[in-house]
Amino acid sequence: MAEVLRVLAGPVARQRLAERGLQPADVGLVPAAAGGPKGLVLNGLDRFLFGDWLQRSQQPVHLVGASIGAWRMATAARAHQDADAAFRDMAEAYVTQRYDTLPGEKRPRPAHVSERFGDILSTWFSGREAAVLGHPRWRLHVVTSRGRHPLLRREGRWRTAAGYAGAFANNLISRPGLARWLDRVVFSDTRTALPLPLADFPTHRVDLSAANLRPALLASCSIPFWLQAQHDLPGAPQGAYWDGGITDYHLHLDYRPLLATETPLVLYPHFQPHVVPGWLDKALKNRHRSTPFLDNLVLLCPHPDWIASLPGSKLPDRNDFMQLDDATRQARWRHAVSESARLAEAFDTLTRQPSLQAEPLP
């Protein structure tokens, strides 16, 4: 029988899992990565975690997301009663996205994608801001990237291209070099501060409000050159805002301060075993390794056997928009969402064990 789910963990988390298994009351934070359609394969886990498993505890839990991860975590906060239905509907809204390409062009124009995707988010969250911001247990934090270098402070066809070329070159030398070009801006629940230092990268913390919830979510999902930048978000520093995954692709943050609390573990549903710092680090394999930042992190990801069982033997991907017709793409993505229930079933089985043996994070 093909394996379905892998559990990997940092050294402190591995020891705790071996001693007492994984308990919902141990979890203080859930990160959610950027990655576009890949996040669809976590739908089954999201539905089970927020609709059932975490409901067996009572502590507040911080939800930190970038890009599709921000939409997923905001969906959890939106769902006061029926998380299962909310995540099911979110997956369908994501699957049925459709964008028009002008004759002679290979992909839709960013202004069109931003307008249509903004409409999706408006439908999803308008009138529900108070519910998202007032969830009795979940504390939402939305990660965005803001242009810092003069070339990236405002969007423009040539200046943005030049700015990201500079960001790429500086990041290639060192990740701190990226800080010359971009800041991290985190829009956070005002009731409980995000208990992470965020000292690894220039960071602004902004109060999340009804006025900036949807703009922050749209900015966090605004992939450069695919969507337009969002400018001058309410209550935040002025400038152009893009996808939170540019600075924090997989949210490789310093989670160790949670070790001093009653909820010391970070539970991370992810689509791969590596926690890559920034989007520009994807090709830099030496930056994919675990660090002490992740000592208390428990990562759940699909087993390669499960991925091989999906259509095309791969995870959903943004390139599917260009390589597949809408009907084929939607059918494949719905199949991946349906099969993701198997990940939740495997997780449920594992967490019923008094001791859990996790793999080391790579």
Side-chain angles (χ1 to χ4, degrees):
M1 181 177 178
E3 295 189 66
V4 174
L5 183 71
R6 297 177 69 188
V7 181
L8 306 95
V12 176
R14 284 204 313 279
Q15 181 177 350
R16 190 178 182 93
L17 295 179
E19 291 173 353
R20 53 177 287 165
L22 181 59
Q23 310 294 329
D26 290 341
V27 176
L29 190 147
V30 177
K38 296 181 184 71
L40 290 171
V41 302
L42 303 173
N43 188 259
L45 279 170
D46 287 339
R47 291 164 67 178
F48 180 68
L49 288 175
F50 293 105
D52 185 336
W53 192 74
L54 282 171
Q55 297 293 340
R56 304 172 197 173
S57 58
Q58 298 181 347
Q59 78 282 4
V61 179
H62 294 276
L63 312 181
V64 186
S67 200
I68 189 176
W71 188 5
R72 287 169 49 217
M73 296 300 96
T75 296
R78 171 182 177 250
H80 284 227
Q81 301 298 326
D82 193 347
D84 186 83
F87 277 105
R88 182 182 63 243
D89 293 345
M90 182 221 158
E92 184 63 12
Y94 200 98
V95 167
T96 54
Q97 290 179 84
R98 184 180 177 279
Y99 303 101
D100 302 319
T101 302
L102 294 176
E105 298 186 4
K106 294 183 178 181
R107 65 186 193 185
R109 293 189 172 183
H112 169 64
V113 179
S114 288
E115 180 181 11
R116 187 163 288 182
F117 188 69
D119 289 342
I120 293 171
L121 292 180
S122 291
T123 300
W124 199 242
F125 292 107
S126 290
R128 298 180 174 90
E129 293 89 352
V132 173
L133 300 174
H135 194 284
R137 291 185 58 202
W138 312 147
R139 305 292 188 258
L140 179 64
H141 309 273
V142 177
V143 180
T144 65
S145 304
R146 184 185 74 115
R148 184 179 190 183
H149 190 279
L151 285 172
L152 292 178
R153 288 177 189 165
R154 288 286 178 223
E155 186 174 40
R157 181 177 180 183
W158 299 113
R159 64 185 294 148
T160 300
Y164 274 104
F168 176 84
N170 278 257
N171 184 75
L172 193 62
I173 297 169
S174 71
R175 176 163 163 81
L178 181 63
R180 295 178 55 196
W181 299 83
L182 294 158
D183 292 331
R184 169 197 292 142
V185 182
V186 184
F187 293 79
S188 286
D189 189 295
T190 59
R191 295 169 295 174
T192 311
L194 180 63
L196 306 180
L198 302 181
D200 61 304
F201 202 84
T203 300
H204 300 274
R205 298 178 187 246
V206 176
D207 288 347
L208 194 58
S209 68
N212 62 30
L213 173 62
R214 192 192 70 85
L217 289 170
L218 180 55
S220 189
C221 295
S222 293
I223 305 164
F225 311 111
W226 283 80
L227 286 85
Q228 289 181 318
Q230 303 301 305
H231 290 85
D232 305 335
L233 275 58
Q238 289 192 330
Y241 286 76
W242 282 279
D243 195 304
I246 303 300
T247 55
D248 293 282
Y249 189 42
H250 294 163
L251 300 163
H252 194 130
L253 307 175
D254 187 354
Y255 298 111
R256 293 172 296 180
L258 286 169
L259 286 168
T261 72
E262 295 181 354
T263 53
L265 295 185
V266 175
L267 182 62
Y268 194 172
H270 196 14
F271 48 79
Q272 67 175 46
H274 295 91
V275 182
V276 180
W279 189 84
L280 297 175
D281 298 320
K282 287 199 299 182
L284 306 177
K285 302 299 183 182
N286 63 316
R287 298 189 194 174
H288 295 193
R289 294 191 292 264
S290 177
T291 71
F293 280 13
L294 311 182
D295 282 355
N296 54 327
L297 184 139
V298 179
L299 186 146
L300 315 172
C301 70
H303 192 279
D305 289 349
W306 182 84
I307 295 173
S309 73
L310 297 178
S313 299
K314 71 176 189 66
L315 300 175
D317 186 88
R318 190 171 66 247
N319 290 327
D320 292 344
F321 278 110
M322 296 183 293
Q323 295 173 352
L324 303 171
D325 62 76
D326 282 337
T328 302
R329 175 184 60 79
Q330 291 182 16
R332 288 189 173 191
W333 287 11
R334 285 195 184 99
H335 182 84
V337 170
S338 176
E339 285 295 296
S340 72
R342 296 175 59 202
L343 303 179
E345 292 166 1
F347 177 76
D348 185 28
T349 299
L350 289 171
T351 56
R352 293 180 185 276
Q353 301 174 5
S355 175
L356 201 164
Q357 302 300 315
E359 304 175 52
L361 287 167

